[in-house]
Amino acid sequence: MAELMRRPRLIGKLQDEVRSIEPQGQEIVNEADISSMTYLRAVLKESFRFHPVAPLLAPHLAMADCSIDGYMIPAGTHVFVNVWAIGRDSSSWEESEEFIPERFTEEGRDVHVNFVGSNFKLLPFGAGRRICPGINLGIMTVELMLANLMYHFNWELPIGVERKDIDMTEVFGLTVRLKEKLLLVPKSCM
Ligand code: HEM
């Protein structure tokens, strides 16, 4: 929401998509309609790239000696995968410090960079045997929440606050979050 509020064009585009696919007057956005919302999926992917929920995934332990790119990892080593840094790596992502959902769409279609553990430059849920088992519930929950926020409300900043004032400073721990809470004013558009 913070990234979207800083960019009126993006939030407008997302609202247009959700409101054009979901018929008017629904109580909530229908789960079945979510699958046609290409831009919603792109916004979610871009959020996971730029602001992964778990910046270092969960701690892992090498069970056997292994070598990766010439680096020897002895058995018993604690391994942290810095997906926060991978998401901002300019050799993997063009304009890596910019929030651009369009990088995941092409002529209105989904560009198939998936985030379910098989594309190592986008790993918000980890990969392999210890991948997040709640991945489908997690994705659907976030998509439904965002789609409903876009469908039911227009969003404004509190009086006296400007877009440039939104503080994007992050606080790191097991999860990463905004240092300052994002305060917004919902305006019903029904
Ligand atoms: C957007 C929502 C979610 C995100 C971004 C997320 C992300 C993650 C990440 C990054 C890991 C560590 C994976 C690794 O180290 O390789 C993880 C592990 C885990 N997640 Fe999630 N998760 C989400 C939702 C959920 C939900 C809804 C559940 C349960 C209903 C869940 C249950 C778990 C469990 C049990 C583990 C530990 C798996 C293991 O160590 O074997 N997560 N999650």
Side-chain angles (χ1 to χ4, degrees):
M1 282 300 282
E3 291 288 2
L4 290 173
M5 286 308 292
R6 298 170 75 210
R7 298 171 179 80
R9 187 185 66 79
L10 303 194
I11 197 164
K13 190 169 170 183
L14 182 56
Q15 278 175 325
D16 286 350
E17 179 184 78
V18 173
R19 292 174 187 176
S20 67
I21 291 174
E22 190 65 27
Q24 270 189 343
Q26 303 296 307
E27 195 176 336
I28 57 165
V29 174
N30 189 332
E31 199 178 311
D33 293 332
I34 294 274
S35 56
S36 336
M37 298 180 184
T38 315
Y39 195 63
L40 177 79
R41 176 58 63 109
V43 168
L44 189 68
K45 282 182 180 174
E46 182 65 342
S47 305
F48 281 147
R49 175 192 75 81
F50 206 32
H51 303 288
V53 177
L56 298 177
L57 300 182
H60 290 252
L61 189 80
M63 295 173 69
D65 291 351
C66 65
S67 162
I68 300 176
D69 269 354
Y71 291 93
M72 179 62 191
I73 318 281
T77 306
H78 282 105
V79 178
F80 293 86
V81 180
N82 191 341
V83 291
W84 187 91
I86 294 171
R88 288 161 188 252
D89 181 1
S90 57
S91 61
S92 294
W93 301 99
E94 276 176 33
E95 296 183 74
S96 58
E97 294 292 332
E98 293 296 319
F99 187 84
I100 310 174
E102 283 74 8
R103 68 175 84 245
F104 294 111
T105 60
E106 211 169 69
E107 292 166 11
R109 285 177 293 111
D110 193 17
V111 170
H112 199 67
V113 179
N114 75 48
F115 48 91
V116 293
S118 48
N119 191 318
F120 289 162
K121 64 182 195 176
L122 192 61
L123 293 174
F125 295 91
R129 278 194 290 189
R130 304 300 296 275
I131 192 171
C132 172
I135 183 168
N136 289 329
L137 179 59
I139 292 169
M140 186 46 81
T141 307
V142 180
E143 285 184 344
L144 270 177
M145 180 194 60
L146 186 57
N148 276 288
L149 292 179
M150 294 299 115
Y151 181 70
H152 287 290
F153 303 104
N154 291 326
W155 293 92
E156 291 176 8
L157 292 167
I159 293 169
V161 180
E162 292 184 33
R163 300 190 186 285
K164 64 174 176 43
D165 299 331
I166 298 176
D167 184 353
M168 297 302 292
T169 310
E170 294 175 310
V171 178
F172 290 87
L174 188 58
T175 58
V176 65
R177 62 176 173 80
L178 281 185
K179 182 168 173 239
E180 300 298 335
K181 287 191 174 124
L182 178 70
L183 294 179
L184 300 178
V185 183
K187 301 271 178 178
S188 175
C189 58
M190 304 308 276

